[in-house]
Amino acid sequence: MCGIVGIISTRPVSARLLEGLKRLEYRGYDSAGIAVFNGQGIKRCRAAGKIVNLQSALQESPIEGTCGIAHTRWATHGRPTRTNAHPHQTSQVAIVHNGIIENHKALREELIDQGHVFATQTDSEVIAHLIQHHLDKGLGETDAFQASIDKLEGAYAVAALIGTHSQTLYAARHGSPLVIGFGTDEMFVGSDAFALAPFTQKVLYLEEGDSAIVNIDNVTIKDKAGAPVTRDILTAKISAVMAEKGNYRHFMEKEIHEQPESLARTVAAYIDPDTHLPLLDDAGPLLQNADRLVAIACGTAFYAASVAKYWFEQYADIHVETDIASEFRYRHPALAKNGTALFISQSGETADTLAALRYCKRAGLGTIGIVNAPESSIARETNTNLHTLAGPEIGVASTKAFTAQLAVLALGAIGSAHLRKTISDDEAKAHIEALEHLPTLCKAALETEQQCASIAPTLAQASQTLFLGRGAYFPLALEGALKLKEVTYLHAEGYAAGELKHGPIALIEEGTPVVIIAPNDALIEKTISNVEEIAARGAHVIAITDKACASHFEGQARHTICLPDLPGLTGPIISAIPLQFLAYYTALKRGTNMDQPRNLAKSVTVE
Ligand code: M6R
């Protein structure tokens, strides 16, 4: 993770470095720092914790210059202290780094043997010492930078200040993204175009293995073989406006409430207004002609993929494998020759999902991105995309992006079934009509808010909560548990309801909260039997169901959260909303920071 910004300008840069950093806080918020050339050399300021702490430190001891770099950290090596905060510095060098240097121990030992003294426990500090080492050996700045980059193994995006009065930024990437921005009499480096959006929309994405020398009015790029290259300059379509909380207390709360609009936008984008059939463009043939699908993602996005497996298999009669990206990329998967791979990601920058995408491309699979950030690495590298139109999601806990992913996958499953002729025109239209009701159903589901808030104290004081579901509601149970864990720091587990008797039922004692997700479907009778079993053992049952089934839970559930009747594929999408409220209000009760939970970052750009 970690976010990087660099600016070289005719004007002072500190305030704008800080502004760029605030836009990158979604990548990590363990510590932050900046370094600038101030005419006498490199000066830096760092602080543990969020960027606001760096801002206070800079107010107390301002540093200023016209060329600088900045960093917000998500700790990988070394605790999140001020000492371990970037930039890392030697007498003539300051660097910021995103990624993991895998050979840092060996390099550190070599440098220590040669007299270098390290100040931190980070892997990144070795980059600063390597550059210094090459300068000490007599290499010029550019050669010292390149010689050092050539020695790194692992993943990195690096920006560096080198020398004493320099007006140059050095940058390199391998495995972690880096963007160069073009202004008027100024140039920028950033982890993404969003960080640079207040300063410029003119950007160039460095490619794998590129290194760049950025001067005030030009950039020189070399590829991984050391050959000079040019890269296209694009106009980023990213708004400079930062999302605001408006009248909401937290982004998570706001984003839960935005779901009627985000679902309306997303669904409308993939339905032909004339025929009322799905509109899949280039993704259509990839879904129609594939022998097999593989859906790959991490975290919440993986649970969206897991729901989609039920839909694609049931309606389009196509075998779907789902995989967690970090497992897929290393397990030598057997892939269908004529297969299509789906990559689901809010950020489009998740390192493991991106690596899995590259693996599938090498294997010759067709690739479709289901991504919320249209200019992200995954969106740019897939053959085609079915973007989710959830809008920027700021809260670390994925809410509106998850339901938008499910909506796109539902449309993809029905579209693919229609193209593969496993459902008729009329069946496809009936499904589409149901999906068109998602915004209305979502508004009705938002009305469960106060009831969920009243249940939250029970979850807040419990040592554990179980979430159960069957069929497409099983991944919802996993998602409900993940949401609760990540924003409340309480233990929760999701299980397939049919697995209860194979172990998890032993966890249930008097008062254990069990959230059962059971709107009407073909398995409802079986789920109700499971509820009876756990209620008989003292569980505090919270049923999320619909009007058709609410009466089945009488006498068994302490709380019945009743959703409207949920036609077609809408059930798992709408059932997510009370799960999000339960997590949000439990976090509120416990006083945790649900928008920036401890140890997490919005975008997981290291494996
Ligand atoms: O940006 P991505 O969708 O690829 O991120 C995947 C996961 O890191 C993400 O869903 C994570 O699990 C969320 N914090 C869940 O709320």
Side-chain angles (χ1 to χ4, degrees), residues 298-301 344-348 350 396-398 405 482-483 486 604:
C298 298
T300 288
I344 302 142
S345 175
Q346 188 288 129
S347 63
T350 300
V396 163
S398 189
Q405 286 160 354
L482 174 65
K483 212 91 300 170
E486 67 179 333
V604 183

Side-chain angles (χ1 to χ4, degrees), residues 14 44 94 126 200 220 304 318 460 481 517-518 536:
S14 292
R44 71 176 166 168
V126 78
T200 182
T220 313
I318 182 165
I517 307 140

Side-chain angles (χ1 to χ4, degrees), residues 472-486:
Y473 295 104
F474 165 41
L476 262 288
L478 298 171
E479 167 62 4
L482 174 65
K483 212 91 300 170
L484 192 73
K485 276 187 273 210
E486 67 179 333

Side-chain angles (χ1 to χ4, degrees), residues 172 196 225 234 245-246 275 291 296 354 366 445 458 484 495 528 563 577:
L196 306 185
L234 315 168
K245 278 187 268 208
T275 61
D291 294 336
I296 302 166
L354 184 58
T458 302
L484 192 73
Y495 288 104
I528 288 163
L563 298 166
I577 287 149

Side-chain angles (χ1 to χ4, degrees), residues 215-291:
N215 292 310
I216 198 153
D217 52 4
N218 65 61
V219 56
T220 313
I221 304 173
K222 285 191 179 158
D223 67 12
K224 58 179 159 224
V229 279
T230 52
R231 303 287 180 214
D232 293 343
I233 299 173
L234 315 168
T235 303
K237 295 184 193 74
I238 292 172
S239 164
V241 179
M242 278 278 261
E244 301 280 349
K245 278 187 268 208
N247 292 328
Y248 292 98
R249 292 164 288 185
H250 302 99
F251 279 109
M252 184 176 177
E253 183 186 27
K254 176 175 179 253
E255 287 158 4
I256 293 172
H257 281 273
E258 282 174 345
Q259 290 175 104
E261 294 79 37
S262 62
L263 284 169
R265 263 198 312 274
T266 302
V267 168
Y270 298 106
I271 296 177
D272 185 323
D274 298 326
T275 61
H276 283 268
L277 288 168
L279 208 57
L280 301 177
D281 292 331
D282 292 349
L286 288 174
L287 292 172
Q288 179 181 4
N289 303 324
D291 294 336

